[in-house]
Amino acid sequence: MNQQIFQTPIEYLKGVGVARADVLKKELGIFTFADLLRHFPYKYIDRTRFYKIREANPDLPHVQIIVRLKSKEILGEKHTKRLIAQVYDDTGTMELAWFQGIKWIEKSLIVGKAYVVFGKPGLFNGKAQMAHPEIELYSPEAIKKQGNLKLQPAYSSTEKLKPFSLDSKGIQKLIAILLEQTAKDIEESIPQHLLQKLRLIGRREAYMNIHFPADTSHLNLAVDRLKFEELFFIQFKLLKNKLLHTLKFKGNIFGTVGSYFNEFYKNKLPFDLTNAQKRVLKEIRQDTQRGIQMNRLLQGDVGSGKTVVALMSMLLAIDNGFQTCIMAPTEILANQHYQSIEQLIDDEFLEVALLTGSTSAKKRKVLHQKLESGDLKILIGTHALIEDKVQFKNLGFVVIDEQHRFGVEQRAKLWRKNIIPPHVLVMTATPIPRTLAMTLYGDLDVSVIDELPAGRKPIETLHLYDSHRLRMFGFMKREIDKGRQVYVVYPLIKESEKLDLKNLTDGIEVMAREFPLPQYRISIVHGQMSASDKDFEMQRFIKGETQIMVATTVIEVGVNVPNASVMIIENAERFGLSQLHQLRGRVGRGAEQSYCILMSSHKLSHDGKIRLETMVKTNNGFEISEIDLQLRGPGNIEGTQQSGVLDLKLANLATDQQLLMIARKCVEGIFEKDPQLQLPENQILNQTSHTHNGGLSWDKIS
Ligand code: ADP
Ligand code: MG
């Protein structure tokens, strides 16, 4: 057996050659035999049955119908020129239309003859119609000939490929040649015991059937098998890395719970922890006693109380003689963390320092010294923390906020700040569905805070159309007059010619008119302001000097003003679900009942409507993220874009969740029973090289 064969450059396939290879590479990214084999059909054309004209409704995919030609005529001039043919069968009549290749097709059509037409049924002026159907003379022999290929694969192609005869049919031919030559070399990649348990077909059979299915049930089996393979090897790779990681990276042991932790818990913590917070703390405590570096993701909705959990874990580290830090993606966020931690502990108890891009050189110098001497135990900051100049005496615990904005590389940089790498807690306030987390962060342990602190009043969410704007103003007034503060968020800063959307510039005018000085004051924050102007405006709002904060989505994360109890989002239909949820999370932070008002135009798309309905219906970030996943597909979920992990050919993390869970379980089972992959039944897993595309790379591990 020679797996090398699948790495053969595509030009060496019979019928390809240099010129075609060139366009295949450029247009479809097909460089090797393996690439071509994995250029799967995007649909199958059902030639298993003939339809009748009466059945041909526009909901059907491509269908074939046997018809007789009644008439044909060429209509129109130049651009409107078209060939129209009337056809019929024993159930009705239908119109066929061509807009290109008119002359040639017209010549080949003979009135009175029977034809097989094949195309997508449509309606035109209420009448059955088919545009640009494939058409051929009907003959029983021709029908018999297609008999052995009932589901015809259709392959994606491009205009540039067509001059090389590489339309769907042309590609199909190449794949047939390839399979004929190499099918015998396609080796199994998944252990037999799993195939048997899950009733999956073999790999060779799957490849043959996904391209040329004998029938629908064979096709389904092929797709199932190949999807599983894809998901299985992603999980295999992730869990293998995780296992290697635990073998490779020692971790400091936090053996004692000491005076910082206890003092804080007994005398400083202003509330009872929720059960979820306690559970997560316990998980972290366990992690930090194993002598292995912790790598844990903490997911929790906005306001679920992640910060306290982070702080208490840090106190635990400090009790054991280590320094700690929190790294946030933006200066605003770093500031927020700094402030919320300062609120929980005073400088007498423990000094907390802030390090960002705008920290003065003088302060920096002092900071650097205190870090090197070990006097400073808690540092909060931005990327500035990972600069080489910043050296700790003994960094033992790192909190990273908002994971998806930091790359793995940056995470690793923090590890290197110590001989024994610090434990890492990654926090994200963007809940993502379980299956996505399993894939994106499959190599981390995951903790979830799925419970809000007691006594929180759920935010009430309301959807209003633009025509109800007066109601909105009235509501704002009442809340402000009660002493509350209000955010108003706009999708755009300035008027746009292309988009008919509310913008901040107009919004400021409207608000200034409705809420005049001196009684009302307005803060303005948007992305085109300088950091110091932004900060100035934020501070005015935080201090309560202004009642209304007019902003773009720059206020999406981190801003914490407990007295702000109303969030108004203009053109809410234009925002994604996770963004709406984040924005809403800016309110509901104090004791007062909070509200979120989603303003929208009357023109709502289907998805836009579902988004707004979802927001009105639930406050639960995990539930919202599931719906987001269903609406947008995994590739568009915030934080997933850069991740090649989601580059799946067949499986879909939105619709194949169950299969993913099964794949994960299988891999877990294997590593639990046989972590070194020494059992004969698992040898196959040592042989194949597994890319994240599902073990479909054909080279061997060297
Ligand atoms: P997150 O970072 O998850 O968005 P925070 O940690 O900022 O949430 O907490 C939000 C607010 O809730 C803070 O004011 C915090 O002091 C408070 N809080 C946290 N845990 C509890 C709790 N168990 N009971 C009451 N309030 C809590
Ligand atoms: Mg927070």
Side-chain angles (χ1 to χ4, degrees), residues 168-302:
S168 176
K169 276 260 159 63
I171 293 172
Q172 182 186 325
K173 273 185 206 148
L174 292 186
I175 290 177
I177 293 170
L178 179 63
L179 275 174
E180 191 169 332
Q181 190 183 333
T182 62
K184 62 182 187 314
D185 296 313
I186 298 178
E187 286 178 349
E188 190 46 70
S189 62
I190 293 178
Q192 279 302 329
H193 61 99
L194 282 185
L195 295 183
Q196 269 158 25
K197 198 171 99 189
L198 300 168
R199 300 180 188 212
L200 294 171
I201 62 172
R203 196 170 188 220
R204 181 179 310 140
E205 200 187 339
Y207 268 101
M208 302 197 20
N209 272 288
I210 197 165
H211 287 292
F212 302 111
D215 55 35
T216 330
S217 73
H218 278 81
L219 173 61
N220 290 340
L221 288 172
V223 171
D224 283 351
R225 147 78 208 212
L226 293 172
K227 271 185 183 175
F228 178 82
E229 181 174 310
E230 238 176 358
L231 297 169
F232 177 86
F233 283 109
I234 291 175
Q235 293 303 322
F236 181 79
K237 206 176 152 202
L238 286 164
L239 290 173
K240 192 171 164 188
N241 281 347
K242 188 172 159 193
L243 199 69
L244 287 177
H245 187 99
T246 59
L247 298 175
K248 198 161 121 200
F249 292 100
K250 284 212 187 96
N252 293 303
I253 294 179
F254 298 168
T256 49
V257 180
S259 57
Y260 281 115
F261 188 99
N262 284 327
E263 167 69 10
F264 178 81
Y265 190 61
K266 285 191 193 116
N267 298 325
K268 306 228 176 264
L269 185 64
F271 39 70
D272 292 331
L273 294 176
T274 62
N275 285 328
Q277 286 171 319
K278 284 184 196 158
R279 187 185 63 231
V280 175
L281 271 173
K282 205 184 264 171
E283 285 166 348
I284 293 170
R285 175 109 174 86
Q286 277 163 4
D287 282 355
T288 51
Q289 285 179 307
R290 293 190 304 162
I292 293 165
Q293 187 209 17
M294 174 179 92
N295 251 303
R296 187 168 280 279
L297 173 73
L298 175 54
Q299 280 204 75
D301 226 329
V302 263

Side-chain angles (χ1 to χ4, degrees), residues 301-307 333 336-337 340 401-402 427 429 558 560 586 589:
D301 226 329
V302 263
S304 59
K306 294 182 292 295
T307 310
L333 270 174
Q336 288 279 339
H337 277 301
S340 36
D401 195 7
E402 296 289 325
M427 298 199 298
N560 185 17
R586 297 306 106 211
R589 307 188 143 235

Side-chain angles (χ1 to χ4, degrees), residues 342-581:
E342 283 249 288
Q343 271 165 20
L344 289 164
I345 53 176
D346 45 67
D347 263 1
E348 260 162 62
F349 181 67
L350 255 178
E351 183 186 358
V352 182
L354 182 68
L355 177 64
T356 68
S358 38
T359 307
S360 71
K362 208 168 112 197
K363 273 198 187 152
R364 226 171 236 267
K365 210 170 147 203
V366 180
L367 272 183
H368 286 178
Q369 274 164 6
K370 282 187 180 171
L371 288 171
E372 280 162 42
S373 68
D375 290 342
L376 182 62
K377 310 278 190 207
I378 300 184
L379 179 65
I380 296 170
T382 53
H383 295 73
L385 294 188
I386 47 177
E387 285 167 19
D388 290 333
K389 287 178 296 198
V390 182
Q391 292 296 330
F392 294 81
K393 178 164 182 245
N394 201 357
L395 181 63
F397 196 92
V398 172
V399 178
I400 304 179
D401 195 7
E402 296 289 325
Q403 149 81 14
H404 60 264
R405 303 180 192 218
F406 292 105
V408 173
E409 189 43 39
Q410 285 166 313
R411 247 199 278 164
K413 237 175 155 175
L414 273 170
W415 298 351
R416 287 184 224 119
K417 293 229 177 256
N418 223 25
I419 301 164
I420 292 185
H423 296 297
V424 177
L425 181 68
V426 175
M427 298 199 298
T428 167
T430 315
I432 57 172
R434 212 164 111 90
T435 48
L436 265 192
M438 212 174 258
T439 307
L440 285 174
Y441 309 116
D443 53 345
L444 307 184
D445 292 305
V446 179
S447 290
V448 176
I449 302 189
D450 48 7
E451 181 188 359
L452 291 183
R456 274 290 159 78
K457 297 195 185 86
I459 301 164
E460 273 183 37
T461 302
L462 196 72
H463 170 209
L464 289 183
Y465 288 107
D466 285 340
S467 48
H468 294 131
R469 189 156 294 274
L470 286 181
R471 252 180 87 188
M472 174 196 106
F473 289 136
F475 183 76
M476 273 178 76
K477 271 204 181 93
R478 281 196 301 280
E479 288 296 305
I480 293 173
D481 293 348
K482 274 194 249 169
R484 309 285 121 71
Q485 287 165 288
V486 179
Y487 294 100
V488 188
V489 175
Y490 292 87
L492 299 177
I493 296 182
K494 292 199 182 70
E495 192 175 351
S496 146
E497 279 179 18
K498 288 198 206 95
L499 300 168
D500 181 23
L501 295 178
K502 296 276 174 300
N503 68 78
L504 178 125
T505 318
D506 290 350
I508 295 166
E509 256 176 55
V510 174
M511 288 299 157
R513 200 169 56 226
E514 293 290 326
F515 298 93
L517 289 166
Q519 198 184 347
Y520 302 103
R521 285 169 201 277
I522 300 175
S523 282
I524 300 164
V525 171
H526 60 75
Q528 288 175 12
M529 290 163 63
S530 72
S532 62
D533 286 352
K534 260 192 276 191
D535 193 52
F536 177 77
E537 291 285 307
M538 274 311 305
Q539 289 304 331
R540 291 208 307 150
F541 190 67
I542 290 168
K543 288 185 205 138
E545 294 168 11
T546 58
Q547 295 88 27
I548 301 172
M549 160 70 76
V550 173
T552 55
T553 54
V554 290
I555 58 146
E556 191 179 330
V557 279
V559 179
N560 185 17
V561 182
N563 190 50
S565 63
V566 182
M567 167 62 67
I568 292 168
I569 305 173
E570 292 282 1
N571 285 116
E573 76 273 23
R574 299 294 306 216
F575 292 95
L577 264 177
S578 81
Q579 214 174 10
L580 289 173
H581 183 62

